Amino acid sequence: MQENWVNMSESGLDRLHHVAISVTDIAAAVEWYVATFRCKIAYQDATWALLEFENVGVALVLPEQHPPHLGFATPTAHKFAPLKRHRDGTESVYISDPAGNAVELLSPESCAAAYQD
Amino acid sequence: MQENWVNMSESGLDRLHHVAISVTDIAAAVEWYVATFRCKIAYQDATWALLEFENVGVALVLPEQHPPHLGFATPTAHKFAPLKRHRDGTESVYISDPAGNAVELLSPESCAAAYQD
């Protein structure tokens, strides 16, 4: 898989790698999003799913498993705290914005590597 | 302005046009996001702001003004209900996903036209 939404930045601006929203039933949510939009199921199990849109990933998560969050690929991610490597190969750290929203900062290199063919 | 995140779909998948998250203080949130990420301020007033990232817009909204939501550009937007035209030229309808998350469906043509130079 090598889609637009995992490419490195071309504009000099950071990319939103994925947005994660809370749902109550993963299977029902996946069914609805796939029926409503032109998107692909990149991953799905009983606890979360990742939908691929033209420009970004949309993660559907159970609130007891993950907080809803925005996941940005930014080269300064490592400056906030040591990055943690995840099962999909991405490396990131979670912080909060001033309003308390969870924000994930991902290493752009790890995002590109994780989703190469 | 003619950025990647307002281009029409190239992959056959729908685009996430913007994600809107709730914050408690627009100015403080804008300051934090601009300091934390490489992004541009596309619009800002006391009630909301729009930040431009490489691939998508991030709207910062006061919860009493707008619900947090995902705004997708999809050619079938008009099939859900008549589209409402907004001040920025985009035309959309709000619906809810099965978990109750607010989802905005925007006409892709109106998104492209609204953000042309």
Side-chain angles (χ1 to χ4, degrees), chain A residues 9-16 22 32-33 37-38 53-56 72 75 80 95 97-98 101 103 105, chain B residues 9-16 22 32-33 36-38 53-56 72 75 95-98 101 103 105:
Chain A
S9 176
E10 296 167 1
S11 66
L13 302 178
D14 287 337
R15 292 182 66 84
L16 182 67
S22 291
W32 186 85
Y33 277 89
F37 299 107
R38 298 178 301 175
F53 284 80
E54 161 82 3
N55 58 329
V56 74
F72 295 97
F80 290 84
I95 61 177
D97 77 9
N101 295 297
V103 175
L105 310 181
Chain B
S9 175
E10 295 166 2
S11 66
L13 302 178
D14 287 337
R15 294 183 65 84
L16 181 67
S22 292
W32 186 85
Y33 278 89
T36 305
F37 298 108
R38 298 178 301 174
F53 284 80
E54 162 82 3
N55 57 330
V56 74
F72 295 97
I95 62 176
S96 294
D97 77 8
N101 294 297
V103 175
L105 310 181

Side-chain angles (χ1 to χ4, degrees), chain B residues 81-106:
Chain B
L83 303 183
K84 179 180 173 184
R85 186 175 178 86
H86 305 284
R87 284 178 297 177
D88 67 358
T90 59
E91 298 177 352
S92 74
V93 57
Y94 282 86
I95 62 176
S96 294
D97 77 8
N101 294 297
V103 175
E104 185 180 5
L105 310 181
L106 300 104

Side-chain angles (χ1 to χ4, degrees), chain B residues 14-30:
Chain B
D14 287 337
R15 294 183 65 84
L16 181 67
H17 178 265
H18 64 272
V19 51
I21 60 170
S22 292
V23 301
T24 48
D25 179 323
I26 301 294
V30 167

